[in-house]
Amino acid sequence: MPGKTYCISTPIYYPSDKLHIGHSYTTTIADTIARYRRMSGYEVLFMTGSDEHGQKIERKAREKGVTPLEYVDPIVESFKVLWEKLNISYDDFIRTTEDRHIKVVQAIFKKIYEKGDIYKSEYEGWYCTPCETFWLERQLVDGKCPDCGRPVELTKEESYFFKMSKYADRLLEYIEEHPEFIRPESRKNEMVSFIKSGLEDLCISRTTFDWGIPVPIDEGHVIYVWFDALSNYLTSAGYLQDEERFAKFWPADLHLVGKEIMRFHTIIWPIMLMALDLPLPKTVFGHGWLILEGDKMSKSKGNVVDPIELIAEFGADAIRYFLLREISFGTDGNFSRAALIKRINSDLANDLGNLLHRSTAMLQKYYQLEVPAPGPYQELDEQLKKLAEEVGANYRKHMDNLEINQGVAEVWRLIGAANKYIDETAPWTLAKEDPERLATVMYTLFEVLRQVALLIGPMMPETADVMWQRLGLEGSVQDQRFSELAWGGYPAGTRVTKGEPLFPRIDEETALKPQSEEDNQVAEKETLSDLKSEITIDDFAKLDLRVAKIIKAEPHPNADRLLKLQVQVGPEERQIIAGIAEHYRPEELVGKEIVIVANLKPAKLRGEISQGMLLAASGEGELALITPEREIAPGGKVK
Ligand code: ME8
């Protein structure tokens, strides 16, 4: 019996610019699904690549004074670097400029032409170059592209046309009969009404520029970039070149795309396949957009977040986790650093990191890091075991059904329950009172950790492997199968290794400071221009800073800007003259704890002795006294 196979694709992205976090979103989800299928025993073909032809790229190259290929080569390289950093496990990266693809596209054109579904005529209409899309006058919104709102250009040229209209009814029927074909449901309705509003034949060749695959039967025409791009899925699956691979992997199981290109994937693409007498992909899933400050993140709007910088700052797995968990799969979702840091601190550092850390620390203390064999299970152990089984089943159901963020949430339900289990079983008490029960509790915890490592394998492959190795288990999580989730798979007697926290907590204040280069430069200038000359720690040690409590405050008899304070410093009472009258009224000071330089040589200020100096912070006309964050007995040292 042939093994189970799964064929999944991302869009092939335009190398008109570097990729941003929106592209990483699609590709991370596709990678998670691909890894999940591999761990479920499928042979997977995971395809991604670059869409290199078309007017947009040609213009960009011309602006830069290079050939289109010279323009795209380094950008395509940067795609691959990004995917490596993000641990994307694609099986095929297809460039539409490769020979294998050019051959397939020309063969497809010829086949459909010979069938009579392509004819030559004249095109007159509008073209949106950023979207590489043809529009009819009536489809424009305020004279602009209905998809992206940008200006369109009037185009009039001889073109080849694809008889899409001929297939409209067949496509509607297919969509009706295959509820899994267009997902989510809401997008299906949108596509159906689009088809019902009337399908025009599609212009599939251009003559006013060169950067494309030549029409095989008519030099001087290049094939329309979307006709070329959509065919990538067939090339990558081996169509006309590798029969065995094609038979194994076609039809694709899932084309994962952003919602804005659903029309191409659920109307043009299936009609191309129908014209070729090829089976249609099982599912096209149109996910929502990553939104930044209320607007779709996109290269042309310039509001993009660079994934390479984020990975360098937080690590690939943290970014992957955030993308998978935070955004409800299918709908739009906000991207923000604050939300990312919150997820890292609460879900990764606190919940997951702590579970491993606490469990390992206890295992070291009570069992020198060797996992004991369990004794008889009691109610709490049975409950956790039952929950793990339930989570495993729900997780698989959600992942099979493309409910990705719900699948991830299930794993965190188990992590949360395991942390609670530690609190409820209190192993530190069992260590003193019931060593046999302690063994069961520790085994149960480590079995849960093993299961968690398996379950996060598709989402956070690096972290899963670190956990796997620390748990003393062999190989890589990617080589495991979910069938190993069966409870009790952790071999008692295994030695665990202690390590650094999986995800160190991120200091929100520092991490949320403005990041732009301009801000950094300003900050740098200010600091540098004000900085006094360097001192050593010995210089600092000469200062004796102490906590003092203000017991009396009154205006200075001879100076409006000064206040006369009586302060308690340990057993002593001292008088301090401070220049704070413009910022504090005497009555609001009494009872406050402050910090003073206690070994400053006494001095007379406008006739009044001052035995020390208080510390205050100032900036932008404001002044604030430095006070201990918690009450400290007066006289306490400040270091
Ligand atoms: O459309 N949020 O390429 P492209 C979520 N070459 N996903 C986003 C996103 C955002 N803000 N921005 C981009 C093309 N994406 C064609 C595809 S396929 C045969 C040809 C993702 O570089 C999302 O998957 O404009 C979207 O569909 C894709 O990038 C568009 O990439």
Side-chain angles (χ1 to χ4, degrees), residues 580-622:
I580 57 171
E582 282 168 1
H583 302 276
Y584 289 96
R585 280 173 287 116
E587 61 274 22
E588 61 178 312
L589 289 171
V590 177
K592 264 195 200 316
E593 286 204 322
I594 55 172
V595 175
I596 63 164
V597 184
N599 60 340
L600 191 68
K601 194 171 170 197
K604 262 197 174 165
L605 298 176
R606 295 284 184 105
E608 290 282 355
I609 187 85
S610 185
Q611 304 158 299
M613 185 180 84
L614 58 72
L615 300 189
S618 65
E620 295 181 347
E622 288 292 327

Side-chain angles (χ1 to χ4, degrees), residues 12-14 20 22-23 26 51 258 260-261 287 289-290 297:
I12 48 170
Y13 305 113
Y14 290 127
H20 58 72
H23 304 101
T26 315
D51 183 0
E260 82 289 356
I261 56 174
H287 65 66
W289 289 333
L290 240 58
M297 200 185 290

Side-chain angles (χ1 to χ4, degrees), residues 356-501:
L356 180 68
H357 189 75
R358 293 166 88 186
S359 309
T360 311
M362 290 189 291
L363 191 71
Q364 180 177 35
K365 190 160 175 198
Y366 307 133
Y367 294 98
Q368 292 77 51
L369 289 171
E370 196 174 302
V371 178
Y377 281 9
Q378 291 189 3
E379 202 186 327
L380 285 175
D381 322 322
E382 288 291 356
Q383 269 173 15
L384 188 59
K385 175 180 169 218
K386 197 161 151 265
L387 184 90
E389 282 160 355
E390 195 183 295
V391 160
N394 286 346
Y395 166 92
R396 295 185 72 173
K397 202 173 69 203
H398 287 309
M399 296 297 283
D400 284 338
N401 206 23
L402 304 178
E403 292 154 349
I404 311 297
N405 54 314
Q406 294 174 58
V408 183
E410 275 298 304
V411 187
W412 259 258
R413 196 154 74 91
L414 178 58
I415 293 170
N419 272 319
K420 194 161 156 237
Y421 173 81
I422 297 181
D423 301 336
E424 284 171 354
T425 52
W428 43 92
T429 311
L430 296 178
K432 291 182 216 133
E433 293 167 7
D434 193 346
E436 192 196 7
R437 173 111 194 89
L438 177 67
T440 311
V441 168
M442 292 312 293
Y443 180 85
T444 303
L445 272 176
F446 277 86
E447 171 59 9
V448 168
L449 281 164
R450 182 188 76 93
Q451 302 218 352
V452 167
L454 281 170
L455 293 170
I456 64 169
M459 298 137 189
M460 300 200 287
E462 268 175 48
T463 308
D465 268 350
V466 169
M467 285 181 72
W468 201 248
Q469 277 148 23
R470 294 224 190 134
L471 293 178
L473 296 162
E474 278 184 13
S476 162
V477 171
Q478 306 309 307
D479 304 326
Q480 315 303 316
R481 295 289 165 262
F482 286 121
S483 44
E484 288 155 50
L485 277 176
W487 185 268
Y490 197 62
T494 309
R495 275 194 77 78
V496 169
T497 322
K498 250 188 111 174
E500 295 291 305

Side-chain angles (χ1 to χ4, degrees), residues 211-268:
W211 183 235
I213 299 178
V215 168
I217 51 163
D218 197 344
E219 277 177 27
H221 282 254
V222 293
I223 295 174
Y224 170 46
V225 63
W226 270 101
F227 191 91
D228 159 357
L230 289 162
S231 309
N232 95 84
Y233 302 128
L234 286 179
T235 311
S236 197
Y239 182 57
L240 301 178
Q241 318 214 355
D242 183 341
E243 268 178 42
E244 200 186 315
R245 175 174 164 117
F246 192 63
K248 200 186 236 180
F249 290 112
W250 198 262
D253 291 274
L254 177 63
H255 291 319
L256 187 62
V257 300
K259 63 181 179 183
E260 82 289 356
I261 56 174
M262 277 302 263
R263 217 160 25 84
F264 299 93
H265 284 83
T266 60
I267 301 177
I268 303 180

